[in-house]
Amino acid sequence: MTEPVIEPEARRLNVFLVDDHAMFRAGVRAELGVHVDVVGEASTVSEAVSRISAVQPDVVLLDVHMPDGGGRAVLEAVRRAHPQVRFLALSVSDAAEDVIGLIRAGARGYVTKTISPDELAAAVRRVADGDAVFSPRLAGFVLDAFASRPDVPVADPELDQLTNREREVLRLLARGYAYKEIAKELYISIKTVETHVSNVLRKLQMSNRYELSRWAADRRLV
């Protein structure tokens, strides 16, 4: 009778969180901490670069849009000095330009914040093991950019006028979200949502949310 083979227990991974919303970081830390060791967190680009360099985690969970820059700035700064650190984007945005921009900068995957805790833990493990991981509908963006049209940059002069936060608000507005729902989704006040919408209307020279929705749909932002 042969002895059963006992598989060695997988090493717990060291994970670092980068997101400008403290409540979201707390939720991820509580849910993901069952599976991995969360060794640090940051809310700004400068904090993230400094702290990630100090602890050198296995995987960084990285938000795309932050007030003082964004996930791409963190990724590019850290990868120059610590190429062994792997990055998994975790964002509310599922826009093609965000996905492609982060992957071109060196992220190993991109998932949206609708992902379940168990799925996120599995995605972190796969990225640490060297795999690429994407939320289902995002993989097509990457294939289009790197296989079909690898030399075509994702750029839009009108879109480039908008800040990262204004893009997030525009995307949710175009999906039919009410101001209150946008505020809840992005952890900001309704007044701040109103300000962002006014700024977007002014920059794009439009008069109402219906024009914005059509504009966003034409650019596959919805």
Side-chain angles (χ1 to χ4, degrees):
M1 186 175 188
T2 59
E3 294 291 329
V5 177
I6 300 175
E7 295 290 338
E9 185 176 348
R11 177 179 70 85
R12 282 178 69 88
L13 297 172
N14 292 332
V15 175
F16 194 98
L17 308 178
V18 181
D19 194 288
D20 61 323
H21 297 122
M23 289 177 61
F24 180 77
R25 294 198 311 273
V28 173
R29 187 170 62 247
E31 294 173 338
L32 202 57
V34 177
H35 306 280
V36 303
D37 292 326
V38 179
V39 296
E41 59 184 70
S43 61
T44 67
V45 171
S46 58
E47 281 180 355
V49 172
S50 174
R51 295 175 185 176
I52 293 169
S53 297
V55 300
Q56 296 186 37
D58 298 301
V59 177
V60 175
L61 284 177
L62 186 67
D63 192 12
V64 177
H65 300 309
M66 293 183 288
D68 63 336
R72 184 166 184 166
V74 175
L75 195 159
E76 291 175 341
V78 172
R79 288 190 78 234
R80 282 194 293 268
H82 308 288
Q84 80 283 2
V85 176
R86 290 180 170 149
F87 289 82
L88 173 61
L90 176 63
S91 178
V92 69
S93 170
D94 59 1
E97 73 272 11
D98 288 334
V99 178
I100 296 166
L102 263 290
I103 299 305
R104 280 181 171 159
R108 294 295 302 172
Y110 194 117
V111 295
T112 60
K113 290 182 177 179
T114 57
I115 193 170
S116 73
D118 287 343
E119 289 173 332
L120 181 58
V124 168
R125 172 65 63 182
R126 288 180 59 192
V127 166
D129 289 341
D131 292 339
V133 181
F134 300 94
S135 292
R137 73 181 294 265
L138 306 186
F141 297 154
V142 179
L143 290 173
D144 287 345
F146 290 91
S148 302
R149 297 178 297 168
D151 299 323
V152 179
V154 179
D156 185 323
E158 287 187 300
L159 188 63
D160 288 344
Q161 299 179 74
L162 308 181
T163 67
N164 291 330
R165 179 64 82 198
E166 287 167 355
R167 295 186 195 188
E168 290 181 327
V169 170
L170 169 60
R171 193 169 296 116
L172 295 175
L173 191 72
R175 290 177 182 170
Y177 281 56
Y179 285 6
K180 183 178 180 180
E181 293 171 323
I182 296 174
K184 183 179 179 181
E185 181 78 15
L186 299 180
Y187 299 93
I188 57 179
S189 69
I190 295 175
K191 182 65 176 177
T192 300
V193 173
E194 293 173 347
T195 299
H196 286 313
V197 172
S198 295
N199 289 339
V200 173
L201 287 169
R202 175 177 52 80
K203 290 179 179 180
L204 299 180
Q205 299 182 349
M206 296 181 187
S207 58
N208 57 62
R209 65 179 295 167
Y210 304 105
E211 290 181 354
L212 288 178
S213 295
R214 288 196 299 271
W215 186 90
D218 288 344
R219 284 159 177 77
R220 296 178 61 190
L221 299 180
V222 181

